[in-house]
Amino acid sequence: MMRVMVVHLHALSARLHFWVVDRDKGTSACLPRPLSPLSILHTDYQPDTAVPHVAQMIKPTAELLGLNSEQLDVASPLLGWVEEPGRWTPVALLRIAGDDLPRLEGGRFITLMELLQVPVTERLLMRAAYEALLGD
């Protein structure tokens, strides 16, 4: 199952916020559920089957966050492939449109300065998200 990360990028200040959810086993930036604790990020994996487009994740993610589908767009169709026990999982990036950071229920926004709250594989994905949005 595909996972997504959700970000808000302010158009003028370029301030980047990641949406995270506090769960029983820690904080996660991956939706709709966290990655396995044993996951490993790969940048060179080539799947041998068709991969669904991330646009299919816009509506369920918007519903999960309490947003309208029009408020989310695809920022990066693929941040990387994560190897989890028994499966490969693509992770993509969705961006919340608009200049104002929305007030959402069920989680919170963090900045890059707060990355230590999430597992290492997700930190690497956040780095890929930063590079996809703002460059190296």
Side-chain angles (χ1 to χ4, degrees):
M1 171 201 258
M2 177 176 279
R3 303 290 205 304
V4 294
M5 293 181 138
V6 176
V7 296
H8 180 269
L9 178 65
H10 193 277
L12 296 176
S13 70
R15 186 167 171 127
L16 182 62
H17 289 90
F18 290 89
W19 179 253
V20 297
V21 177
D22 294 316
R23 303 183 189 270
D24 293 341
K25 296 182 180 180
T27 300
S28 176
C30 286
L31 297 173
R33 63 180 210 270
L35 296 169
S36 164
L38 300 174
S39 61
I40 300 169
L41 177 64
H42 294 268
T43 56
D44 57 354
Y45 176 72
Q46 296 294 319
D48 54 3
T49 59
V51 179
H53 193 274
V54 66
Q56 74 171 354
M57 296 296 291
I58 289 176
K59 184 177 180 182
T61 303
E63 289 173 357
L64 183 67
L65 297 176
L67 296 169
N68 295 321
S69 295
E70 299 80 34
Q71 291 176 274
L72 285 177
D73 61 21
V74 176
S76 177
L78 184 67
L79 292 175
W81 282 91
V82 174
E83 183 181 9
E84 297 185 273
R87 70 176 168 261
W88 287 89
T89 305
V91 181
L93 183 64
L94 298 179
R95 178 177 40 216
I96 299 173
D99 285 338
D100 296 325
L101 198 61
R103 294 182 188 266
L104 304 173
E105 299 289 326
R108 58 194 166 91
F109 286 102
I110 65 169
T111 65
L112 291 172
M113 302 302 288
E114 301 165 284
L115 288 184
L116 293 179
Q117 297 176 28
V118 300
V120 107
T121 301
E122 292 188 21
R123 279 185 245 156
L124 294 170
L125 287 162
M126 290 171 150
R127 177 181 173 185
Y130 178 88
E131 290 172 356
L133 292 167
L134 298 169
D136 294 344

